[in-house]
Amino acid sequence: MSKREELIQKYAADLKDKCGVTPNMDLLTKVTIGCGPSIYNDDASTVAGSQQSELDTVKNNFLIKKLGLPAGPALDEAIHAVLEKYGKSNRNKHRVVVYYLLTLHFKKESVYK
């Protein structure tokens, strides 16, 4: 199994165990590939939910640029809802899992078709 496949299995386990979501493996794989080499970097592969600069990065680089959503308070609300679902006490929030949940939240799966 490749390193990427191992990571995808880890993300799927997080979605099931920590978020109560049964992942669509095809979409999860596409979101993982979309994150590029950042998934292999310990710092870049996680989202620091308590850092505003990190939340701004998720909002600007993923929600606005990648998913094509308009800026507004709904984006911040969605990020906070996803982080809440992932679990505030869970320190290691994988970027791929957060992006996957945001993609589902905004029903933007078509971006990855």
Side-chain angles (χ1 to χ4, degrees), residues 3-9 11-12 15 25-40 62 95-97 99-100 112:
K3 180 73 172 156
R4 183 170 71 199
E5 289 168 343
E6 288 175 23
L7 289 170
I8 290 169
Q9 292 304 315
Y11 303 147
L15 283 163
M25 294 306 288
D26 186 48
L27 179 61
L28 182 59
T29 300
K30 289 177 181 176
V31 172
T32 303
I33 292 168
C35 285
S38 71
I39 63 172
Y40 305 109
F62 183 69
R95 184 172 306 277
V96 171
V97 174
Y99 286 8
Y100 178 89
Y112 288 101

Side-chain angles (χ1 to χ4, degrees), residues 30 32 37 55 58 60 66 86:
K30 289 177 181 176
T32 303
L55 301 178
V58 171
N60 294 321
K66 177 73 178 179
Y86 207 152

Side-chain angles (χ1 to χ4, degrees), residues 39-56:
I39 63 172
Y40 305 109
N41 178 303
D42 286 342
D43 185 46
S45 68
T46 57
V47 173
S50 59
Q51 291 182 350
Q52 189 57 47
S53 62
E54 183 72 34
L55 301 178
D56 289 342

